[in-house]
Amino acid sequence: MAGNARPRVVVIVVFDGVKLLDAAGPAEVFAEANRFGAQYLIRIASLDGCEVTTSIGTKFPVTERISDINDVDTVLVAGGDNLVGRPIDPALVSALRQVPGRTRRLASICTGAFILAEAGLLKGRRATTHWRHARLLGRAYPDTIVEPDAIFVEDADIYTSAGVSAGIDLALAMVERDHGADLVREVARSLVVYLKRAGGQSQFSTLVEVEASEPSALRRVIDAVAADPAADHSVKSLAAVASLSTRQLTRLFQAELGTTPARYVERVRTDVARAALDAGHSVGESARLAGFGSAETLRRVFVSQLGVAPKAYRDRFRTSAPN
């Protein structure tokens, strides 16, 4: 950007209980970009223009009210634990509802997506949030198309990102849109972060989350798979456990879990393999323990489900403690 060009104003919206990294992470990306020729002016806004208390108990300075936002380049709405499973401050929602017409692009970090959704700004749009809360976002706002595995989602002029550090990924993507690959590559190198993270949120999440009532045919099947993931769990054998026909079992899985018996078993085995890799087992040993049969089969499943190869996953999540 030329030296006399107008700075791009980035406003980060915060509130009491805001996750500190949700605000500080993206801010550091834009600030670092300024060292390499960008011109971002970073402001912090709250509902009343007063400082807020962050998730770690520290005070976070604020420069303006949300109502002061006008004709800015980017607005980022940070997240916080208090936004999930409880009512969101109506005044905060109302203030954010007025923002889209005052900015070129609007984004949320982590659970900040719940504020945008409550304000009606994600209606009919694709969006994401922290993997732990993606299912709740979809249930609470069925008119939002939730993509639970995405690190961030861009839908026209509204962006949403996954949990916490994904705000850094989103900010890097925005800098790349604004200034190109060469500049953002320097920013990523300077901050010692990946320019583009391999894989999606699945590599961090729990793939299998079951809410089956007890006792039930489905619970019997789930317990059988959990007890011995490497055993023969064909649809026919699982149907016998449930005392159902294969067709009935398939319908039950689809109705209750939104998947097929075979895909469910594959997810369980993938979680078992991840645990084995976390414990230091080789890819081959992990494949055997999980019931995949071969390292190549495990590799194909990992790449398909997690977007990353087993060895890369093991290296990424291996403990930092000395052997």
Side-chain angles (χ1 to χ4, degrees):
M1 182 182 292
N4 58 356
R6 181 184 179 187
R8 298 177 185 268
V9 178
V10 177
V11 180
I12 301 175
V13 174
V14 297
F15 43 85
D16 283 333
V18 66
K19 190 77 75 172
L20 180 57
L21 187 57
D22 282 7
E28 287 290 354
V29 170
F30 292 114
E32 194 71 15
N34 288 342
R35 295 183 54 201
F36 298 97
Q39 291 188 35
Y40 290 106
L41 179 59
I42 303 165
R43 297 176 180 168
I44 309 296
S46 67
L47 188 58
D48 57 5
C50 297
E51 67 178 14
V52 300
T53 303
T54 70
S55 56
I56 65 172
T58 59
K59 298 296 184 180
F60 200 83
V62 167
T63 61
E64 59 199 87
R65 296 181 176 87
I66 296 173
S67 59
D68 294 333
I69 296 173
N70 189 46
D71 191 25
V72 301
D73 183 81
T74 304
V75 174
L76 299 176
V77 181
D81 294 337
N82 293 338
L83 301 177
V84 180
R86 64 190 69 183
I88 301 173
D89 183 355
L92 179 61
V93 173
S94 178
L96 264 299
R97 191 176 288 127
Q98 310 305 316
V99 167
R102 303 172 181 173
T103 183
R104 179 171 69 94
R105 59 190 176 191
L106 173 64
S108 64
I109 310 300
C110 194
T111 55
F114 282 83
I115 304 178
L116 299 191
E118 184 67 17
L121 302 178
L122 298 183
K123 185 175 183 179
R125 293 181 182 265
R126 297 180 299 110
T128 194
T129 188
H130 191 289
W131 63 264
R132 195 180 298 278
H133 307 301
R135 185 179 298 180
L136 176 59
L137 181 67
R139 288 200 305 262
Y141 306 98
D143 52 6
T144 299
I145 306 162
V146 179
E147 298 186 4
D149 192 38
I151 297 296
F152 66 85
V153 171
E154 176 185 358
D155 190 323
D157 57 348
I158 292 187
Y159 299 67
T160 51
S161 75
V164 197
S165 64
I168 295 174
D169 299 80
L170 175 57
L172 287 168
M174 288 181 165
V175 172
E176 183 173 13
R177 302 270 196 290
D178 297 340
H179 297 286
D182 290 342
L183 187 144
V184 78
R185 190 176 294 114
E186 291 301 322
V187 174
R189 286 171 174 165
S190 183
L191 293 176
V192 198
V193 296
Y194 289 110
L195 178 55
K196 182 175 176 58
R197 206 185 309 203
Q201 287 198 80
S202 295
Q203 61 189 298
F204 305 95
S205 69
T206 302
L207 291 182
V208 180
E209 296 182 8
V210 179
E211 300 174 0
S213 58
E214 293 198 48
S216 68
L218 182 59
R219 172 55 64 184
R220 290 198 300 273
V221 171
I222 289 169
D223 289 345
V225 175
D228 189 2
D232 172 22
H233 292 309
S234 64
V235 178
K236 184 177 180 180
S237 66
L238 293 178
V241 171
S243 299
L244 298 171
S245 69
T246 56
R247 180 174 296 182
Q248 288 174 320
L249 182 66
T250 299
R251 287 175 176 171
L252 181 61
F253 262 82
Q254 196 63 54
E256 295 292 328
L257 302 182
T259 189
T260 66
R263 287 175 182 165
Y264 175 80
V265 171
E266 184 176 82
R267 288 181 180 178
V268 171
R269 288 174 172 168
T270 301
D271 271 348
V272 171
R274 291 202 304 186
L277 291 168
D278 290 343
H281 291 286
S282 68
V283 174
E285 290 172 334
S286 299
R288 179 181 57 80
L289 291 169
F292 281 112
S294 71
E296 177 56 28
T297 300
L298 177 59
R299 189 195 69 79
R300 288 200 302 267
V301 172
F302 254 60
V303 171
S304 173
Q305 290 197 17
L306 309 185
V308 63
K311 186 178 184 304
Y313 172 88
R314 184 187 62 189
D315 292 344
R316 185 169 299 168
F317 291 96
R318 183 168 50 196
T319 177
S320 59
N323 293 326

